[in-house]
Amino acid sequence: MSELAAVAHVLRRTTFGPFPGQVEAAAGLGAAGAIETVLGAAALIPGEPVFDEDDAAGTDGAVGKWLGLMRDPSAGLHEKLVWFWHGHFTSSHDKADAWALMWRQHLVLRTHALGNFRELAHAMTVDAAMLQWLDGDGSTAAAPNENHGRELMELFTIGRGPYSQGDVRAAALALSGWTVTDDGRASFDAAVGNPRDTVLLGRPVRTAHDVVDALCDRPECARFIAAKLYLFLVGRPASDQRVGELAAAFAAARLEIRPLVEAIVRDPEFTTAVYERPRYPIEWTTAAFAVCEINDVARAFDTLTALGQAPFYPPNVAGWPPGMRWLDPGAAVLRAELAVDAPALPTIANAPDPVTAVLTRAGIYEPTTETLTAAKDLAFALRRYPRAQAAALLGFVLTTPEFILA
């Protein structure tokens, strides 16, 4: 693999790029240097959005603010992990009362994205948007709602299997007493909460924080999180042996996320696992809009909605599933339509070699023979119509395997 192709791969997996010119700017770093750069990049700090329930996808809305950060060339791995945790500790504005709740939860993810998993789990368990999303809001010891406890175990910490229905009931009881106040804050009322110890997975617990600690201390927790992060970043499932190694290191680091992530992206498997998974819609859309030079938040949100992965709107408590289902051939037309009247067309049309120009803009440095031949044939057929040629090439490249895979 060439150096430029290797750097492009690193940026595809660890950021929402690469964006035009970004790989060339990193020339000389190599894959290892690019990894160190994204690991060392400072976390971006968002401005306060405008909480307009009718225009959340506007430039100054919650969605717009986040998409702007994703498209920032200075964003490093931290930004990618903010997205990962949003798909792990899911909550949706479909059920949360207001954008202010969703944004405060978003800031929790930003604070802990590369921090400590236990602290993240503590904060998210009693987060107002999460309480509403998982029906923990208003759950009392007299009538505990089991949904919150079940999902905290199954989806957020230890995965399926190591708990019983009795453990679900115990978790629900210990999680009771939390409500969301009229001003959107989480509040605990001891008068309706759990008054005494109950047993969860063989351990006495009484409060929500006891539950989180009990789950984070389980060996299944380190394995569950390590395996999920590995799949997201590397693109293929880790072997049982590798999961065990990563989980042991994660547990030894007291569930600090950064050392786990560093171990994953510095593993040779990471740099060789090229095009092993789909470029998820949020990744594809952010990169494609940059390639096309389209800066329209509302259109980006519409595209993401059509592709099935709109920020702040996960489909269910399990978030967006991994896997090849995202490569729906029916989406090819939607993807290619971005090229129509794209602001980048004059740059491509005026290039000495439009094929090379469009591939480079898209971060494709080692196209397959099939892709390169098809692009050259297309360029030749439209050689007398530079703008139409540029639009056809751009639409084609946005739908190639090299661009829709990561």
Side-chain angles (χ1 to χ4, degrees):
M1 187 190 311
S2 72
E3 180 191 31
L4 293 179
V7 171
H9 167 67
V10 170
L11 294 177
R12 277 195 302 272
R13 290 292 180 79
T14 61
T15 73
F16 294 90
F19 307 130
Q22 194 175 19
V23 174
E24 288 75 16
L29 291 177
I35 288 170
E36 297 309 313
T37 298
V38 295
L39 283 171
L44 301 183
I45 301 174
E48 184 77 3
V50 176
F51 297 126
D52 186 343
E53 296 296 327
D54 297 322
D55 190 27
T59 302
D60 293 324
V63 174
K65 288 289 187 183
W66 195 4
L67 291 180
L69 294 173
M70 292 178 186
R71 190 168 168 176
D72 190 326
S74 66
L77 186 58
H78 176 271
E79 198 63 43
K80 197 64 169 275
L81 266 290
V82 176
W83 173 259
F84 170 81
W85 293 119
H86 176 51
H88 180 81
F89 287 105
T90 58
S91 294
S92 172
H93 184 51
D94 281 334
K95 195 168 180 179
D97 277 347
W99 274 112
L101 272 70
M102 293 301 301
W103 189 252
R104 282 199 292 268
Q105 183 184 89
H106 177 71
L107 295 181
V108 170
L109 298 179
R110 302 195 75 83
T111 298
H112 299 285
L114 280 171
N116 185 274
F117 178 78
R118 185 188 301 269
E119 293 175 6
L120 173 59
H122 274 296
M124 291 298 287
T125 298
V126 295
D127 171 78
M130 183 66 74
L131 289 169
Q132 290 189 343
W133 175 238
L134 292 183
D135 305 312
D137 178 20
S139 176
T140 67
N145 189 297
E146 296 181 358
N147 193 38
H148 195 185
R150 179 180 293 106
E151 308 307 355
L152 177 59
M153 290 190 284
E154 179 179 327
L155 298 177
F156 300 164
T157 55
I158 61 176
R160 291 183 179 180
Y163 58 88
S164 67
Q165 181 57 32
D167 292 314
V168 172
R169 288 193 294 269
L173 183 61
L175 290 168
S176 64
W178 287 89
T179 59
V180 178
T181 62
D182 291 341
D183 64 352
R185 303 288 177 174
S187 176
F188 179 71
D189 183 356
V192 297
N194 179 42
R196 61 184 63 86
D197 284 352
T198 185
V199 179
L200 171 65
L201 294 166
R203 177 166 162 172
V205 296
R206 182 175 299 187
T207 69
H209 294 297
D210 291 341
V211 171
V212 172
D213 281 338
L215 296 176
C216 286
D217 287 342
R218 296 282 300 191
E220 296 91 347
C221 179
R223 289 186 62 89
F224 181 66
I225 299 303
K228 191 169 182 179
L229 264 170
Y230 186 97
L231 178 62
F232 178 73
L233 290 168
V234 179
R236 62 171 76 130
S239 67
D240 286 344
Q241 178 180 342
R242 188 61 181 137
V243 170
E245 293 168 348
L246 290 169
F250 190 32
R254 298 181 180 274
L255 302 188
E256 288 291 328
I257 298 165
R258 179 177 284 276
L260 171 61
V261 170
E262 290 179 351
I264 293 171
V265 299
R266 287 175 176 151
D267 190 320
E269 287 276 320
F270 173 78
T271 50
T272 59
V274 181
Y275 300 137
E276 291 278 342
R277 69 159 172 82
R279 209 173 198 174
Y280 296 129
I282 190 70
E283 299 168 327
W284 181 90
T285 299
T286 307
F289 271 58
V291 170
C292 294
E293 293 184 6
I294 300 172
N295 189 17
D296 184 334
V297 172
R299 186 176 179 187
F301 183 72
D302 289 343
T303 301
L304 287 163
T305 300
L307 292 174
Q309 198 174 47
F312 298 108
Y313 291 96
N316 52 53
V317 292
W320 295 279
M324 294 301 177
R325 65 178 291 274
W326 295 105
L327 302 180
D328 178 11
V333 173
L334 174 65
R335 297 177 191 269
E337 281 178 346
L338 288 187
V340 178
D341 295 326
L345 292 183
T347 301
I348 299 168
N350 294 327
D353 181 354
V355 171
T356 299
V358 72
L359 288 171
T360 300
R361 285 189 67 83
I364 300 172
Y365 299 92
E366 293 183 350
T368 63
T369 301
E370 293 80 5
T371 291
L372 188 57
T373 299
K376 288 181 175 180
D377 289 348
L378 189 59
F380 181 79
L382 295 170
R383 62 192 181 280
R384 292 190 176 90
Y385 312 98
R387 188 174 178 87
Q389 180 194 64
L393 285 172
L394 182 55
F396 167 71
V397 166
L398 294 179
T399 62
T400 59
E402 294 92 332
F403 198 78
I404 65 173
L405 292 171

Short mmCIF file of all heavy atoms in Angstrom, two decimals, residues 228 231-232 235 277-278 280 318-326:
data_model
loop_
_atom_site.label_atom_id
_atom_site.label_comp_id
_atom_site.label_asym_id
_atom_site.label_seq_id
_atom_site.Cartn_x
_atom_site.Cartn_y
_atom_site.Cartn_z
N LYS A 228 -16.46 -4.32 21.07
CA LYS A 228 -17.27 -3.40 20.28
C LYS A 228 -16.42 -2.28 19.69
O LYS A 228 -16.60 -1.91 18.52
CB LYS A 228 -18.39 -2.82 21.16
CG LYS A 228 -19.44 -2.06 20.36
CD LYS A 228 -20.66 -1.75 21.20
CE LYS A 228 -21.72 -1.03 20.36
NZ LYS A 228 -22.94 -0.74 21.15
N LEU A 231 -14.33 -3.72 16.75
CA LEU A 231 -15.12 -3.89 15.53
C LEU A 231 -15.35 -2.55 14.84
O LEU A 231 -15.25 -2.44 13.61
CB LEU A 231 -16.46 -4.54 15.87
CG LEU A 231 -17.43 -4.75 14.70
CD1 LEU A 231 -16.82 -5.68 13.66
CD2 LEU A 231 -18.75 -5.31 15.20
N PHE A 232 -15.64 -1.51 15.61
CA PHE A 232 -15.89 -0.20 15.04
C PHE A 232 -14.64 0.37 14.37
O PHE A 232 -14.71 0.91 13.25
CB PHE A 232 -16.36 0.75 16.14
CG PHE A 232 -16.61 2.17 15.68
CD1 PHE A 232 -17.71 2.48 14.91
CD2 PHE A 232 -15.73 3.18 16.04
CE1 PHE A 232 -17.94 3.79 14.50
CE2 PHE A 232 -15.95 4.48 15.63
CZ PHE A 232 -17.06 4.79 14.85
N GLY A 235 -12.92 -2.84 11.90
CA GLY A 235 -13.83 -3.22 10.83
C GLY A 235 -14.13 -4.70 10.74
O GLY A 235 -14.99 -5.11 9.97
N ARG A 277 -15.16 -2.72 6.22
CA ARG A 277 -16.54 -2.47 6.64
C ARG A 277 -17.12 -1.32 5.83
O ARG A 277 -16.39 -0.59 5.15
CB ARG A 277 -16.59 -2.14 8.13
CG ARG A 277 -15.97 -0.79 8.54
CD ARG A 277 -16.56 -0.38 9.89
NE ARG A 277 -15.94 0.78 10.51
CZ ARG A 277 -16.23 2.04 10.20
NH1 ARG A 277 -17.08 2.32 9.23
NH2 ARG A 277 -15.65 3.04 10.86
N PRO A 278 -18.43 -1.13 5.89
CA PRO A 278 -19.02 0.00 5.17
C PRO A 278 -18.55 1.32 5.75
O PRO A 278 -18.20 1.42 6.94
CB PRO A 278 -20.52 -0.16 5.39
CG PRO A 278 -20.72 -1.55 5.86
CD PRO A 278 -19.45 -1.94 6.56
N TYR A 280 -20.04 4.12 7.16
CA TYR A 280 -21.38 4.35 7.65
C TYR A 280 -21.91 5.69 7.14
O TYR A 280 -21.13 6.60 6.82
CB TYR A 280 -21.39 4.29 9.18
CG TYR A 280 -21.01 2.92 9.71
CD1 TYR A 280 -20.02 2.76 10.68
CD2 TYR A 280 -21.63 1.77 9.23
CE1 TYR A 280 -19.66 1.51 11.14
CE2 TYR A 280 -21.28 0.51 9.68
CZ TYR A 280 -20.29 0.39 10.64
OH TYR A 280 -19.93 -0.86 11.08
N ALA A 318 -30.67 -0.11 20.70
CA ALA A 318 -29.42 -0.76 20.31
C ALA A 318 -28.59 0.09 19.38
O ALA A 318 -27.46 -0.28 19.03
CB ALA A 318 -29.72 -2.11 19.65
N GLY A 319 -29.08 1.24 18.97
CA GLY A 319 -28.34 2.11 18.08
C GLY A 319 -28.32 1.60 16.65
O GLY A 319 -29.16 0.79 16.24
N TRP A 320 -27.36 2.08 15.88
CA TRP A 320 -27.23 1.68 14.48
C TRP A 320 -26.40 0.42 14.38
O TRP A 320 -25.27 0.37 14.88
CB TRP A 320 -26.58 2.80 13.68
CG TRP A 320 -27.41 4.04 13.62
CD1 TRP A 320 -28.47 4.28 12.79
CD2 TRP A 320 -27.28 5.22 14.43
NE1 TRP A 320 -28.99 5.54 13.04
CE2 TRP A 320 -28.28 6.13 14.04
CE3 TRP A 320 -26.40 5.58 15.46
CZ2 TRP A 320 -28.43 7.38 14.63
CZ3 TRP A 320 -26.54 6.81 16.06
CH2 TRP A 320 -27.54 7.71 15.64
N PRO A 321 -26.90 -0.61 13.72
CA PRO A 321 -26.15 -1.87 13.67
C PRO A 321 -24.95 -1.79 12.74
O PRO A 321 -24.97 -1.06 11.74
CB PRO A 321 -27.19 -2.86 13.13
CG PRO A 321 -28.11 -2.01 12.29
CD PRO A 321 -28.19 -0.69 13.00
N PRO A 322 -23.89 -2.54 13.04
CA PRO A 322 -22.77 -2.64 12.10
C PRO A 322 -23.15 -3.60 10.98
O PRO A 322 -24.21 -4.22 11.01
CB PRO A 322 -21.66 -3.22 12.97
CG PRO A 322 -22.38 -4.07 13.97
CD PRO A 322 -23.67 -3.34 14.26
N GLY A 323 -22.29 -3.71 9.98
CA GLY A 323 -22.51 -4.71 8.95
C GLY A 323 -22.78 -4.14 7.58
O GLY A 323 -22.97 -2.93 7.40
N MET A 324 -22.85 -5.04 6.61
CA MET A 324 -22.93 -4.66 5.21
C MET A 324 -24.31 -4.21 4.76
O MET A 324 -24.48 -3.83 3.60
CB MET A 324 -22.45 -5.83 4.34
CG MET A 324 -20.98 -6.16 4.51
SD MET A 324 -19.91 -4.74 4.09
CE MET A 324 -18.29 -5.40 4.46
N ARG A 325 -25.29 -4.22 5.65
CA ARG A 325 -26.63 -3.77 5.26
C ARG A 325 -26.62 -2.32 4.81
O ARG A 325 -27.52 -1.86 4.10
CB ARG A 325 -27.60 -3.93 6.43
CG ARG A 325 -27.27 -3.04 7.63
CD ARG A 325 -28.29 -3.20 8.75
NE ARG A 325 -29.60 -2.67 8.41
CZ ARG A 325 -29.96 -1.41 8.56
NH1 ARG A 325 -29.10 -0.52 9.02
NH2 ARG A 325 -31.17 -1.02 8.23
N TRP A 326 -25.60 -1.57 5.21
CA TRP A 326 -25.53 -0.16 4.84
C TRP A 326 -25.15 0.04 3.37
O TRP A 326 -25.23 1.16 2.85
CB TRP A 326 -24.50 0.56 5.72
CG TRP A 326 -24.93 0.59 7.16
CD1 TRP A 326 -24.44 -0.15 8.19
CD2 TRP A 326 -25.97 1.39 7.74
NE1 TRP A 326 -25.09 0.14 9.36
CE2 TRP A 326 -26.03 1.09 9.11
CE3 TRP A 326 -26.85 2.36 7.22
CZ2 TRP A 326 -26.95 1.70 9.97
CZ3 TRP A 326 -27.76 2.97 8.08
CH2 TRP A 326 -27.80 2.64 9.43
#
